[in-house]
Amino acid sequence: MRMLLVDDEVELTDSLARLFDREGYQVDVAYGGKAALELLQRSDHTLTDIPYDLLIFDWMLPQVSGLELCERVRQAGNQTPVLLLTAKDTLDDRVMGLDAGADDYLVKPFELRELLARVRALLRRSQVRVPATKRLQVRDIELDCEAQIAYRNGKAIALSEKECRLLAYFMRHPNQLLAHERIYHHLWPGEDKPNSNVLPAQVRLLRRKLERKDEDKTPLIRAVYGKGYCLEATIPHRPPDGPSS
């Protein structure tokens, strides 16, 4: 399980990070809201597609507050569990935090045992929601990420691991121009960048499997020369057959 811990109290944050590490969690740390946003919006993902199972935000952060971070994550449609840590302990404060999209709220100072129990509870809840996100759908294409099978009009299309990851990435960002570099980072994280011909070849293979020559007048995955690719989520308008009256 991977989490992001954000708090401007450096000593507290570092001690909590060590605690989570001993409990077997992978922890990334940020000491302010701006630094947290940079981690959440790196070149290989966006707020809709972040690599964390849990987000822990202190409310009173400089520049960008934990409350604002929570709101931005929710506005992007991301449902990753959020735990707010704060000294604000009035009923109105708790209501404001929960209304901003937080899943739980813990008032400082707190007992470490309670913090760990709340973390475990939030992670259990997030695991229950996982199966609902296994399938993605855009237009008449449905993708079963776990089985690596796409469906179009009921026809099953087997995909390789890279093809499945590439299609899932496009489907999570419909109608968005995804830069070449961003796609490389997603498909080959932590690896040397492959030959410049590899990505276009991968897209061609995926198109060949998905597109129907008799119906797709424009490509599902549109190439923008020198920039990247875009999955067209809107079905193009087709004029009626025959002469118009």
Side-chain angles (χ1 to χ4, degrees):
M1 290 295 179
R2 186 176 180 187
M3 66 176 69
L4 175 62
L5 174 62
V6 188
D7 199 311
D8 60 330
E9 296 182 53
V10 176
E11 187 174 342
L12 171 64
T13 305
D14 289 348
S15 65
L16 290 179
R18 289 193 294 271
L19 171 68
F20 289 134
D21 183 67
R22 287 196 300 270
E23 293 294 317
Y25 301 112
Q26 183 180 349
V27 188
D28 288 344
V29 169
Y31 300 108
K34 187 176 179 181
L37 274 179
E38 290 173 356
L39 279 174
L40 291 168
Q41 295 178 308
R42 284 166 40 192
S43 60
D44 58 340
H45 54 75
T46 66
L47 287 179
T48 59
D49 181 26
I50 59 178
Y52 298 106
D53 301 291
L54 177 65
L55 303 171
I56 303 178
F57 299 147
D58 178 58
W59 185 322
M60 301 298 290
L61 294 170
Q63 298 177 314
V64 181
S65 72
L67 194 72
E68 185 178 347
L69 286 174
C70 183
E71 288 174 334
R72 290 198 189 188
V73 168
R74 294 296 182 247
Q75 287 166 2
N78 192 293
Q79 296 303 310
T80 301
V82 174
L83 172 61
L84 277 180
L85 305 179
T86 179
K88 292 175 172 284
D89 61 354
T90 69
L91 176 59
D92 287 344
D93 291 329
R94 291 195 294 273
V95 169
M96 187 183 302
L98 295 171
D99 282 347
D103 295 272
D104 203 354
Y105 189 106
L106 190 57
V107 177
K108 295 179 176 180
F110 47 78
E111 293 289 339
L112 295 181
R113 285 198 309 161
E114 182 179 6
L115 172 62
L116 290 173
R118 288 175 184 259
V119 164
R120 290 193 296 269
L122 287 171
L123 289 172
R124 283 197 301 271
R125 285 184 226 161
S126 69
Q127 291 305 298
V128 169
R129 290 199 293 260
V130 166
T133 64
K134 291 291 185 182
R135 288 201 175 199
L136 302 171
Q137 184 163 5
V138 174
R139 287 174 57 165
D140 58 350
I141 299 172
E142 189 173 359
L143 176 63
D144 185 330
C145 300
E146 191 172 62
Q148 291 182 199
I149 296 175
Y151 297 88
R152 192 163 192 201
N153 281 356
K155 177 186 175 184
I157 305 166
L159 302 174
S160 69
E161 180 190 357
K162 278 287 192 290
E163 289 167 346
C164 183
R165 290 181 61 197
L166 180 60
L167 179 57
Y169 198 49
F170 283 137
M171 293 178 77
R172 290 190 178 105
H173 302 86
N175 292 327
Q176 292 184 34
L177 177 59
L178 301 176
H180 296 124
E181 198 68 25
R182 185 172 165 187
I183 300 172
Y184 277 118
H185 277 296
H186 180 74
L187 289 184
W188 294 277
E191 303 176 28
D192 292 334
K193 184 178 175 180
N195 185 287
S196 60
N197 295 324
V198 171
L199 180 57
Q202 197 75 61
V203 172
R204 281 196 300 272
L205 289 170
L206 186 58
R207 279 175 173 164
R208 195 174 301 161
K209 289 187 175 184
L210 292 177
E211 291 178 357
R212 300 173 302 198
K213 294 180 181 179
D214 58 330
E215 295 187 29
D216 294 323
K217 305 302 180 184
T218 57
L220 289 166
I221 302 170
R222 177 170 57 90
V224 179
Y225 182 75
K227 293 185 177 181
Y229 296 93
C230 176
L231 175 66
E232 301 287 355
T234 305
I235 299 175
H237 173 71
R238 296 181 63 193
D241 296 333
S244 58
S245 57

